[in-house]
Structure formats: structure tokens, C-alpha cells
Amino acid sequence: MAVLHLLAIVAFHLLIISEAKDSDFIYKEFTNPKRDTFVYGTFPKDFAWGVATASYQIEGAWDADGKGPSIWDTFTHNGRSHKKQNADVACDSYNKYEEDIAMMKKLGVSHYRFSLSWPRILPKGFANEVNREGIEYYKKLLDALHKANIEPMVTLYHWDLPQVLQDMGGWENEMMANYFAAYADLCFQAFGEQVKLWITFNEPTIFSLFGYELGTDAPGLPHNGYGAYRVGHTVIKAHAKAWHLYDQKYRKSQGGKISIVLHGNWFEPKNPDSEFDRAVAEKASYVELGWFANPIFGDGDYPAIMKDMIANNSRIQQLSTSRLPEFTEDDKRMIEGTFDFFGLNHYTTNLVAHKPTVSEHFASFFMEFNGEMSQDKESWPEPAGSPWLYPVPWGLRKLLNHIKQTYGDVPIYITENGFSEGEGPLNTKDTARINYYKAYINEALKAYLIDSVNLKGYFAWSLMDNFEWRSGYSERFGLYHVDFEDPERPRTPRESANVYAKIIKNNGFPVQAGTDHTEL
Ligand SMILES: *[C@@H]1O[C@H](CO)[C@@H](O)[C@H](O)[C@H]1NC(C)=O
């Protein structure tokens, strides 16, 4: 192993020294030999290769067999998503999960990351009224996965809160930490024999900010400047409670691992020579990821820079206390260290420039930073079908190194990474997505081989096109195309599915005589 590492590193440096050819780069926009040269090599032997999905985005069957409504059912039925679309049927994976698994077998993945629908299991939210048919559905899915030799990674909460719990305040209600722990307890008990990798929450920053700060996602509450911080505070405690519950009650008999999945962009200073831009970019990284990472992977508390920033801004707004809630010493001790690995969802990079934005009169998370975010529209590659998604592969390697430097040598799973295209006729030749996967997986390889980041696995988002939240079916992230006009919801592989299958089979990009990554 060590020898292989060394060879890969030597090979990489030789590549840099010898003159770089066009074929050494994936994107013509990124050709800095030291940073962007394609490297050859493979991931560790037991590397997890997977695809990821989420219950509301694929299952459909929104009111079948005793399922209760979630906040996303309410939100979409109120016409709040793109073209008033909803996921009442979505990919119909409630009925077509065997087809999904057959697709995974073709890809050759070792792992499948999916989420449980809380209101399918507990239609009334609380754990004293269990919907047996909901439990049966996930047991069948888990059995079928094991039969196919695919290891599940199961997310307890991927945004579809039971509506009845939102009616009691949702994540802004502190009691939710207890309700979530009871739901988690039930799931460990029901599925723990079949599940060895658990995720408590998916991307808490995103559902806090879009659901309870901007209100553009369910439950649609524009509680700017306050709501997301209250939500985050409860979610962190809910996560910690579930982690301890698993640790104390189930770990010994079930032998699994449990952690959280955080969303992380990379933030690059717009003008690298500007001290101000550099400081704001650093603040953005420490706050976007650190809001949740610092309590859990650090010292049990929010990052100092975040506490200072919000306390200062609250003072400017004539408030007597900070808008960011405080943890007690007991909270901090309960929260610190509640992880078994780091789950990272990463898609893109932003430029950050200094700009005074704090207002005396208007509180907003997005204005706390005295900074402005942008993308380099002139010199970065074409964005995806999602306007925020520019391919900037080197940002992933920088972020992985940032995590290692900030939170220690923690095992990391890249639990989501992927590329969308917009609406339009089926185009199986998805070259832009192929380039994205090759380039990003190659940066992950550099982080592993050259920077010794403790990388354990990679999950592509997503197995197939699905319901992309407020964007409905207008952003397509699938390795497989899904026809949402056809009641059968037929799935068709795109070329990227073949490319991803080949990367998995090779466990990366092995050095072979005459190999050219462009031929992959
Ligand atoms: C908060 O204000 C203090 C005092 O004005 C200042 O020294 C500090 O840099 C500020 N912190 C942040 C993160 O803005």
C-alpha cells in the first residue's frame, strides 16, 4: 500500500515536471499544471462506492398505505414549487425499488444511500403510533439490497418532516429534539440489524436557511435572522441525543456507525491579494460548515468567529442579546464528539468579496458576513442546469484539506456530489456530467493519495432524475434519466452511468500503459 502511494505521488510530480499536454486536463478552463493535472491511481481497497437518493424526491406514494403528509406534501400542494409540481408520484420508487436496485447492480456500487420518510413510519409524528406498512416497505427494500450485496447507508431525516410536527412549531420548537430521538430509537430497533451506516440529518444548514430563513423551501417560513439559528440549535441537540442513544443502547449489539451529513461549498477570495476578501472567504468556510461541524467535530460549541459576528450584528441592531442561541455547558458536553465519520455533500465553489452588508434595520443570515458571493462567469466552465452549480473541481480538494486541518484526521465520506442539466428532451450523451464526475473524483483521489485525507467513500447524486425540491423536475441530476410524463416512469441510463461504472470497477483511475483519461 505505502509503496503504491509513493509511486502515485512520484508519478504525479513527474507529470507536473514534464510538459503538460491538453489531455492532462479535463477542463480547458482549468490548466494550472500544479493544481489541475489529472492523476492516475486508485482508492483504498475497501472504498465505498455509492449512489444517493432521498425519500421525498423518489418514493411517490405520498398517501399510500397509511403514510401521513409531510411538510413537503403541504408545500407542493400549495403550489410553491416550480410549475406547481409535486412528488406525489415522483420516480414511484415505492413500487419500483427492485428496478432501482437492478440499476445499482449495473453500476456496480457497493453502497446505497437513501432516507426514511418519517411520516411514512410515524404518520402522526410521535413514536406511539407506528405504521406497520411503512416499516414493511423499508424492510423489503433493505432485504432486497442485502440480497444484491449492496450495503445501505440510511438517513433518518432528509427534510420530510411530518406536517403534524410542523403544526407544533417544527424545528423551531425545542421539544423536537426529543421527538426526533424517539423516532430514531424506533428506527434503530426496527432496522438496526440490517443497517450499519446511519446518518441523523442531511444538510441542516440548507433546510434551516431555505425552510426557516428565506422560506423558499418547506415549511416556507421567512423568519430571517432568527429562524435558522433556532432550528440549527435544536437540530444539533437532536443529532447528539440520537448519537448517544445509538451509542449506549445499540452500538454493542448492532455494531454500526452513526454521524451527520453536512453541506459544504468551497469559498475562494475573489481577489486573493485582498486581505479583506481573504478574511471574509475564511469566515464563510468557518461558518457554513462550522455552524454544525464545530459543535459536533470540534469543541461542542459554535465557532468563535460565528458567535462574535452574530453578537456584534445583534448589538448594531439594538438587541440586548445575540440572535444566535447559546449552548449550556451541559449541552456542549453532550454535543462534543458525537460522530463516527464526516459526511460531506459538496457541489461547487463560490468567490467571496468584502462588502459592507450588515444593516441596522434588517437581520439576515446572508447579510451577517459583510461579504458578497459570486461565481467567475467568464473563466469557469459552463454551469449546470442549476444556476448555482459551476464545476470547480479543485474546490473539493481544498475543502477536504480544510476539513482535515480544522476537525482532525476524521474518516470522510463524500455523501453527495453530482451535476444537473436543465429540462429538455432525453440526451443520453451527457458529456458535461461525465467531465464533472471524472474531474471531481480525480480531485478526491488527489486528496487521498497526495494529501493523505482519510477518505472512505464517494456517493454520486443521484441514481436517477428526481424531484429537486423547489425546482421540481427542472433540474436533472440522474445517472439514469426518468421520464416523468410516462405513468411507468421508465429509467434510461445516460453515458455518465457507464463512465461511473467503469470508475467503480477500476476503483479509481489505475495507471495503465497508454491510458488516457479522456477515453474513459
Ligand atoms: C466584533 O466586534 C469586536 C469589537 O468591535 C471586533 O473586535 C471583532 O473583530 C468583531 N468580530 C467579528 C467576527 O466581526
Side-chain angles (χ1 to χ4, degrees):
M1 220 44 218
V3 174
L4 280 180
H5 271 216
L6 207 62
L7 281 177
I9 293 165
V10 170
F12 179 70
H13 286 285
L14 286 176
L15 262 177
I16 294 170
I17 294 159
S18 62
E19 209 170 307
K21 310 182 295 293
D22 277 355
S23 66
D24 294 334
F25 305 104
I26 302 264
Y27 291 107
K28 65 179 187 325
E29 291 85 351
F30 296 130
T31 56
N32 172 350
K34 223 178 134 100
R35 188 190 64 190
D36 304 319
T37 306
F38 194 89
V39 301
Y40 293 92
T42 54
F43 288 93
K45 245 212 197 101
D46 57 352
F47 196 69
W49 287 104
V51 283
T53 64
S55 49
Y56 183 69
Q57 294 179 275
I58 66 161
E59 283 178 4
W62 79 278
D63 63 349
D65 301 336
K67 178 182 167 293
S70 79
I71 54 173
W72 273 96
D73 292 314
T74 307
F75 190 77
T76 55
H77 292 166
N78 286 335
R80 298 286 306 274
S81 283
H82 175 74
K83 290 189 178 164
K84 299 188 174 11
Q85 289 167 340
N86 60 55
D88 288 3
V89 181
C91 308
D92 196 21
S93 285
Y94 188 69
N95 297 302
K96 293 183 162 305
Y97 65 91
E98 280 176 334
E99 215 173 296
D100 296 348
I101 293 172
M103 282 143 58
M104 290 177 225
K105 288 216 60 143
K106 285 222 177 90
L107 290 169
V109 295
S110 58
H111 287 65
Y112 178 40
R113 174 172 175 243
F114 67 95
S115 78
L116 305 175
S117 160
W118 186 341
R120 193 180 293 292
I121 294 170
L122 303 174
K124 305 234 169 98
F126 295 109
N128 59 351
E129 265 183 69
V130 179
N131 179 28
R132 283 289 141 206
E133 284 167 288
I135 302 267
E136 282 317 306
Y137 167 63
Y138 293 114
K139 278 193 174 290
K140 280 190 303 190
L141 171 60
L142 287 164
D143 282 342
L145 284 168
H146 283 293
K147 231 176 256 158
N149 239 328
I150 297 169
E151 187 75 29
M153 177 186 265
V154 177
T155 308
L156 290 166
Y157 187 78
H158 202 128
W159 306 2
D160 43 357
L161 185 71
Q163 179 60 45
V164 286
L165 295 181
Q166 185 55 47
D167 296 342
M168 301 172 192
W171 292 108
E172 287 178 284
N173 176 351
E174 281 185 61
M175 288 300 288
M176 277 296 300
N178 296 341
Y179 308 157
F180 176 77
Y183 159 62
D185 195 359
L186 179 89
C187 294
F188 299 148
Q189 201 177 324
F191 310 118
E193 286 304 314
Q194 293 161 291
V195 178
K196 302 304 159 196
L197 288 168
W198 288 103
I199 307 284
T200 53
F201 288 92
N202 180 72
E203 295 184 355
T205 24
I206 303 294
F207 76 77
S208 305
L209 290 172
F210 287 85
Y212 296 82
E213 160 90 28
L214 295 171
T216 54
D217 276 7
L221 300 172
H223 294 173
N224 50 278
Y226 296 84
Y229 300 140
R230 280 197 293 266
V231 167
H233 207 67
T234 298
V235 165
I236 290 167
K237 288 197 262 189
H239 158 82
K241 272 180 196 281
W243 189 91
H244 283 292
L245 188 78
Y246 187 81
D247 196 50
Q248 286 155 20
K249 198 166 158 188
Y250 297 98
R251 190 190 291 280
K252 209 166 158 212
S253 57
Q254 297 184 350
K257 291 184 161 65
I258 175 164
S259 212
I260 191 164
V261 161
L262 302 182
H263 178 270
N265 276 353
W266 177 247
F267 298 98
E268 190 74 8
K270 187 166 184 187
N271 174 3
D273 298 326
S274 155
E275 187 189 321
F276 294 109
D277 288 9
R278 286 203 308 270
V280 187
E282 193 171 298
K283 186 155 68 174
S285 298
Y286 281 107
V287 175
E288 199 223 354
L289 202 64
W291 176 2
F292 291 86
N294 205 76
I296 295 164
F297 299 89
D299 61 4
D301 200 359
Y302 297 116
I305 197 168
M306 180 178 185
K307 290 195 291 185
D308 277 359
M309 175 178 85
I310 300 167
N312 283 3
N313 296 346
S314 302
R315 220 173 292 130
I316 291 168
Q317 290 151 355
Q318 315 280 328
L319 296 163
S320 54
T321 55
S322 176
R323 285 179 281 103
L324 183 69
E326 278 177 34
F327 290 122
T328 64
E329 289 308 312
D330 283 349
D331 290 339
K332 289 181 210 169
R333 274 194 298 276
M334 176 187 73
I335 294 161
E336 184 183 357
T338 52
F339 66 90
D340 297 330
F341 55 85
F342 197 116
L344 174 70
N345 289 357
H346 174 77
Y347 289 89
T348 194
T349 286
N350 287 114
L351 297 178
V352 187
H354 173 75
K355 183 186 170 188
T357 52
V358 174
S359 156
E360 269 176 62
H361 309 292
F362 188 80
S364 153
F365 171 86
F366 296 96
M367 290 159 72
E368 314 271 28
F369 293 81
N370 283 326
E372 185 178 56
M373 289 211 286
S374 60
Q375 293 116 340
D376 190 340
K377 296 188 162 107
E378 257 114 72
S379 52
W380 286 353
E382 284 266 310
S386 315
W388 51 270
L389 210 180
Y390 281 77
V392 189
W394 45 264
L396 172 59
R397 182 175 173 194
K398 289 195 178 194
L399 181 61
L400 290 168
N401 278 280
H402 166 84
I403 292 171
K404 182 177 167 171
Q405 279 155 20
T406 312
Y407 307 110
D409 194 18
V410 45
I412 302 174
Y413 287 90
I414 296 168
T415 36
E416 284 182 28
N417 177 236
F419 187 83
S420 62
E421 54 195 277
E423 270 169 311
L426 169 61
N427 164 31
T428 53
K429 256 187 112 60
D430 54 342
T431 311
R433 182 178 288 106
I434 290 170
N435 287 338
Y436 182 97
Y437 276 122
K438 285 198 290 199
Y440 271 80
I441 295 172
N442 205 250
E443 293 295 326
L445 182 66
K446 290 177 196 171
Y448 165 66
L449 282 180
I450 299 163
D451 312 329
S452 302
V453 169
N454 191 359
L455 199 59
K456 293 291 182 194
Y458 175 94
F459 292 72
W461 182 274
S462 178
L463 172 63
M464 60 193 152
D465 293 345
N466 55 50
F467 185 79
E468 184 54 23
W469 311 110
R470 80 196 83 88
S471 306
Y473 300 103
S474 68
E475 295 175 24
R476 306 297 192 96
F477 279 89
L479 293 164
Y480 280 74
H481 170 270
V482 178
D483 183 354
F484 295 101
E485 305 288 311
D486 186 324
E488 292 300 314
R489 298 297 191 270
R491 288 97 154 107
T492 311
R494 294 190 169 103
E495 253 179 44
S496 56
N498 301 329
V499 170
Y500 189 45
K502 192 156 175 192
I503 294 171
I504 293 173
K505 189 157 175 263
N506 288 335
N507 198 25
F509 309 96
V511 193
Q512 282 161 2
T515 321
D516 179 346
H517 69 83
T518 55
E519 288 163 12
L520 250 180

